[in-house]
Amino acid sequence: MKKKLGVQFRKSRKTTHAFERLKYCKHCESYTVLEHGECDVCGRKNSFLSLRQLSHILSRRHFQKQLLILGLLICLAILSADTLWQLAAASVGGVVSLLLYALLQKKYSIYEKTNHFMKLISKEHGKIKSGLTRNLVEVNEDVEAERFKDAYEKIREVGCLFHSDAVKVCKIMLLNRFVLRKDMELELETLIPSTYDRDFIEYLGEVLKVQPWLLKKSVIDYVIRYKGNIFLEENGTRVIGQVAGAALRMKSYVVMYQDFISESLEYIPRERLLRLAKLLKANPDENWGSLREAASSLIETRYSFDPDFKGVL
């Protein structure tokens, strides 16, 4: 059994959108999501722009280009005037055109900026993917050098934009090397692999010990789908009991997953079974199917002399 490391993770940046984590080097035009003081491609310091900043610069250049073209057309119209009337008309028309353009730009600038931003992401997709791949190579180098904490903090950032199974599995394997604590920024639902993964089940059992509130419907569905595989694991029954026990935190989950909870009752820890008994008693009109009967039977068999269970069901 590998020795687990006690670590303190660096706080992850909070962003509204995942793309806000991307940084663009204005010198070599490369992308990264890692917190480096200098570009890992060209080595320049303080050369990064956010994607929003880059889009704003490109939008401003586009506006300046359109304004220049409009100004040249106005100048051409003025220079082409043969009479004083034509000169006045060209000048007034030019001023009106500039004012109209400025008003339209002000009114629709938010839509134009959004359009430019979406075009930028589409155009730069290849460079962004190349940058993330380069970041993953750096993660692999950290793993090989046994810098597991650094590797996890880096792949955590990459994983916000790369959602492949390979990234998820790497994050899980790294997390399984650490002592998990209640105060850590942990994740669960975002790590669900597309197929059965025993490392994920190991992590699931550990994370539910410290942060049971991370259990969501998608995780329960995954456990139900691969319940047969989980039972074959060394601590499979314990994990099944932890999942069923954590599901009792929400009445809606108890109603939705009655069959799973009923089948897992014998693996549920005592304090969670007591929670279930109190929930069943507090909601006598709910259609609990066979869950109430199964819980009563288990309590009668295993906890008949336990004072905490007296009169609960």
Side-chain angles (χ1 to χ4, degrees):
M1 184 177 179
K2 58 179 178 288
K3 183 180 178 181
K4 299 204 172 187
L5 307 172
V7 296
Q8 184 72 47
F9 295 140
R10 184 176 63 241
K11 293 291 184 181
S12 179
R13 287 177 294 162
K14 302 297 181 184
T15 58
T16 304
H17 305 286
F19 64 75
E20 293 176 43
R21 296 172 179 271
L22 284 166
K23 295 188 296 182
Y24 169 82
C25 178
K26 56 189 176 184
H27 292 289
C28 66
E29 300 184 346
S30 63
Y31 288 88
T32 183
V33 291
L34 303 184
E35 291 292 334
H36 290 316
E38 59 184 39
C39 178
D40 60 334
V41 176
C42 67
R44 296 289 187 95
K45 293 183 177 180
N46 303 317
S47 63
F48 292 118
L49 296 173
S50 70
L51 216 55
R52 285 291 189 191
Q53 289 173 322
L54 176 60
S55 178
H56 177 72
I57 290 172
L58 294 177
S59 295
R60 187 174 60 194
R61 288 178 182 173
H62 179 72
F63 169 72
Q64 292 170 343
K65 182 180 178 181
Q66 288 184 320
L67 198 62
L68 178 61
I69 292 173
L70 181 59
L72 288 173
L73 289 174
I74 293 171
C75 290
L76 183 63
I78 292 173
L79 292 174
S80 301
D82 294 325
T83 65
L84 188 62
W85 168 250
Q86 289 178 343
L87 180 62
S91 299
V92 172
V95 172
V96 172
S97 298
L98 285 172
L99 288 174
L100 283 174
Y101 179 74
L103 288 172
L104 290 172
Q105 182 68 25
K106 184 178 180 180
K107 184 176 182 180
Y108 297 106
S109 62
I110 183 66
Y111 304 106
E112 188 173 10
K113 286 178 181 178
T114 301
N115 183 50
H116 286 163
F117 183 73
M118 297 308 295
K119 286 182 177 179
L120 173 65
I121 291 179
S122 178
K123 177 185 176 183
E124 300 290 277
H125 180 265
K127 289 183 180 179
I128 292 172
K129 187 175 181 180
S130 176
L132 294 175
T133 301
R134 193 176 62 255
N135 292 160
L136 285 175
V137 170
E138 190 171 331
V139 170
N140 187 61
E141 290 172 353
D142 283 340
V143 171
E144 291 179 350
E146 298 188 359
R147 296 188 295 266
F148 301 122
K149 176 180 176 292
D150 293 340
Y152 173 70
E153 289 174 344
K154 290 173 182 177
I155 200 168
R156 180 180 60 182
E157 296 299 315
V158 176
C160 291
L161 291 109
F162 252 168
H163 304 293
S164 67
D165 262 8
V167 171
K168 292 178 181 179
V169 168
C170 184
K171 288 169 78 174
I172 292 166
M173 291 177 67
L174 287 168
L175 283 165
N176 281 337
R177 290 184 172 274
F178 308 129
V179 177
L180 305 184
R181 300 189 312 275
K182 191 175 183 177
D183 63 319
M184 284 180 164
E185 289 184 14
L186 300 175
E187 54 184 317
L188 183 57
E189 189 175 25
T190 53
L191 296 180
I192 299 175
S194 59
T195 58
Y196 181 72
D197 185 85
R198 66 190 310 173
D199 289 320
F200 176 73
I201 298 303
E202 179 186 342
Y203 173 71
L204 174 60
E206 293 303 310
V207 79
L208 289 182
K209 290 180 183 178
V210 293
Q211 297 185 10
W213 55 85
L214 290 179
L215 186 77
K216 303 298 181 185
K217 181 179 179 295
S218 55
V219 181
I220 303 174
D221 290 337
Y222 179 89
V223 170
I224 292 174
R225 187 184 315 131
Y226 295 108
K227 189 167 64 172
N229 301 77
I230 297 173
F231 273 124
L232 297 177
E233 301 294 344
E234 183 180 353
N235 296 317
T237 54
R238 177 178 61 81
V239 174
I240 292 291
Q242 286 178 294
V243 172
L248 301 179
R249 296 182 66 256
M250 296 180 62
K251 180 187 172 184
S252 58
Y253 285 173
V254 180
V255 173
M256 191 180 305
Y257 296 104
Q258 289 184 42
D259 291 341
F260 169 66
I261 294 172
S262 181
E263 294 167 2
S264 309
L265 281 177
E266 62 179 300
Y267 312 116
I268 293 178
R270 174 191 173 279
E271 67 278 5
R272 303 312 296 162
L273 184 61
L274 182 59
R275 153 77 180 168
L276 174 61
K278 291 179 178 178
L279 178 66
L280 295 173
K281 183 179 181 180
N283 298 273
D285 298 327
E286 188 75 49
N287 179 20
W288 296 115
S290 61
L291 179 58
R292 183 183 181 88
E293 182 181 344
S296 298
S297 176
L298 181 62
I299 291 171
E300 179 65 28
T301 303
R302 190 175 295 177
Y303 300 103
S304 58
F305 297 105
D306 191 323
D308 289 337
F309 285 90
K310 288 292 185 182
V312 178
L313 281 181

